[in-house]
Amino acid sequence: MELYSTSEQEKKRINSSFNITEEEIAEKFKLLKEWVESTPHLPLESKEQDFLQIMLLRGKFNIDQAKTKIENYFGYISRYPELYRPLGTFKPSQEIGHVVVLPKRGPNLERIIICKLSSEEDYIDIERCILTAVSSAILMYVKDYNSVCHLLVDFKGVKISHLQKLNLNNIHKLYNMYENAFKFRISSLDLIHAPHLATLIFQLSKLILKPKLISRIQIHEDLASLQKKLGKEYLTSDYGGELESVEELTKIWDKIIETEQDFFNRLRELADRSKIEDCSFGVQGSFKSLNID
């Protein structure tokens, strides 16, 4: 994950947005580490310094929230082991669904993430697209010191028939995982191409999304609108920007996924162990409306 490393200066800028001093962070980290070391059911990974620093950030430097994040991170592995076993078992460049995290951060140090299809085929295994996206999301959630994401969803090639093949039970599980274990703070959600489909999904999303996120959704009718909002320096060449194309960045993700196979193998080991030993980790939370902040 060297390409996505965070400098100490960037960490300080990210931390400053929470109105907390470095001394306070150090004290909270100490308390969190002591708690983890006194909690025997948590795996060894929970004691790693980088992991604890990121979980403290994910909990907005609230100790109780950070504890819940850690419990739920491992808890959902035992709750939904069937969803963890396929993670990381793919090569991004060979998949129809692409999820690319841009190495260049946005103006507020946010991570810009592009979700799109690589072709316009009639048949698409949409659930495999989702699981490949989850692989990248979990990797960034655990490895990337970042507090805010800016999502760009490209609907080019997406058809209603693709969405009709979704397994609602699995979608429920994945939503549960996101809401309670892998939630990223979303600063903006931009939708591009296929405006009629995007508009339909936007209207349906109002049934479950909270007003705060709905207010951050923008449907772009053309690339000029997208470029005006984000700036070309923060867009890939596919969208008229100055960065590498999605295809080029996807090849970089091939190497990242390959390099992180030990991480994914460990997830699969924990998933298999949960089936044999019934090692539940006390998952907290339930299926509910999406909470952004």
Side-chain angles (χ1 to χ4, degrees):
M1 298 290 290
E2 183 178 349
L3 188 63
Y4 295 87
S5 61
T6 304
S7 68
E8 289 302 316
Q9 184 177 10
E10 287 174 330
K11 284 185 179 180
K12 289 180 179 179
R13 279 189 59 192
I14 292 170
N15 296 345
S16 66
S17 66
F18 293 91
N19 296 316
I20 187 171
T21 67
E22 294 300 313
E23 291 75 16
E24 290 172 322
I25 291 174
E27 180 61 27
K28 288 177 181 291
F29 176 83
K30 178 182 176 182
L31 293 173
L32 185 62
K33 184 178 181 183
E34 289 174 352
W35 172 77
V36 166
E37 291 176 344
S38 66
T39 309
H41 68 265
L42 291 173
L44 290 175
E45 289 86 344
S46 66
K47 299 173 176 60
E48 295 175 358
Q49 179 167 320
D50 290 345
F51 175 79
L52 288 176
Q53 287 180 340
I54 289 177
M55 289 302 105
L56 191 58
L57 173 67
R58 299 283 177 251
K60 302 177 185 177
F61 298 102
N62 178 292
I63 292 292
D64 289 336
Q65 287 188 36
K67 290 178 181 178
T68 298
K69 293 288 184 183
I70 293 171
E71 289 277 10
N72 282 358
Y73 171 73
F74 293 107
Y76 273 93
I77 299 175
S78 62
R79 187 173 186 178
Y80 301 142
E82 69 279 6
L83 295 182
Y84 282 82
R85 295 190 183 99
L87 298 183
T89 58
F90 67 96
K91 191 172 184 178
S93 63
Q94 296 178 356
E95 297 296 322
I96 296 292
H98 287 171
V99 176
V100 169
V101 183
L102 304 190
K104 182 173 182 176
R105 294 176 184 267
N108 297 311
L109 294 183
E110 70 272 26
R111 284 297 186 196
I112 300 172
I113 302 173
I114 298 176
C115 307
K116 70 186 296 291
L117 298 179
S118 62
S119 65
E120 299 183 40
E121 298 182 12
D122 290 331
Y123 172 77
I124 290 175
D125 187 341
I126 196 72
E127 288 202 33
R128 181 172 176 86
C129 292
I130 291 173
L131 285 173
T132 56
V134 172
S135 293
S136 300
I138 290 179
L139 193 59
M140 295 302 293
Y141 183 84
V142 177
K143 301 278 188 176
D144 184 36
Y145 198 91
N146 173 63
S147 62
V148 184
C149 292
H150 185 140
L151 298 181
L152 167 59
V153 181
D154 190 337
F155 282 88
K156 187 175 182 180
V158 178
K159 302 177 176 64
I160 291 291
S161 59
H162 297 155
L163 303 180
Q164 290 173 337
K165 294 181 173 61
L166 285 171
N167 182 318
L168 294 182
N169 184 47
N170 281 346
I171 294 301
H172 169 84
K173 293 177 182 178
L174 291 169
Y175 191 101
N176 243 340
M177 287 167 59
Y178 168 78
E179 173 66 19
N180 298 302
F182 303 110
K183 182 183 293 180
F184 286 95
R185 184 174 170 223
I186 301 173
S187 63
S188 185
L189 176 54
D190 293 292
L191 312 180
I192 187 72
H193 294 134
H196 297 300
L197 178 58
T199 301
L200 173 61
I201 292 175
F202 175 64
Q203 294 300 325
L204 292 174
S205 69
K206 289 182 178 181
L207 299 175
I208 60 172
L209 301 183
K210 289 192 174 182
K212 185 176 288 188
L213 178 57
I214 293 174
S215 69
R216 297 173 185 175
I217 297 176
Q218 182 175 351
I219 300 175
H220 299 274
E221 295 185 357
D222 52 38
L223 290 179
S225 171
L226 181 65
Q227 293 165 3
K228 182 178 179 180
K229 179 177 181 178
L230 279 173
K232 292 185 178 182
E233 66 267 36
Y234 301 113
L235 285 171
T236 65
S237 58
D238 314 69
Y239 302 98
E242 301 171 0
L243 304 179
E244 300 98 319
S245 68
V246 169
E247 181 179 359
E248 291 172 311
L249 290 172
T250 302
K251 291 179 181 178
I252 292 175
W253 270 90
D254 283 351
K255 297 178 181 178
I256 290 174
I257 294 297
E258 182 180 356
T259 302
E260 295 293 338
Q261 277 307 300
D262 286 345
F263 169 77
F264 289 114
N265 288 337
R266 182 55 179 159
L267 285 182
R268 286 189 285 273
E269 288 174 7
L270 290 172
D272 290 337
R273 196 184 83 188
S274 70
K275 182 178 180 181
I276 296 171
E277 300 180 3
D278 189 29
C279 61
S280 59
F281 293 103
V283 173
Q284 303 176 40
S286 62
F287 186 69
K288 55 186 177 181
S289 295
L290 187 59
N291 179 16
I292 300 307
D293 289 330

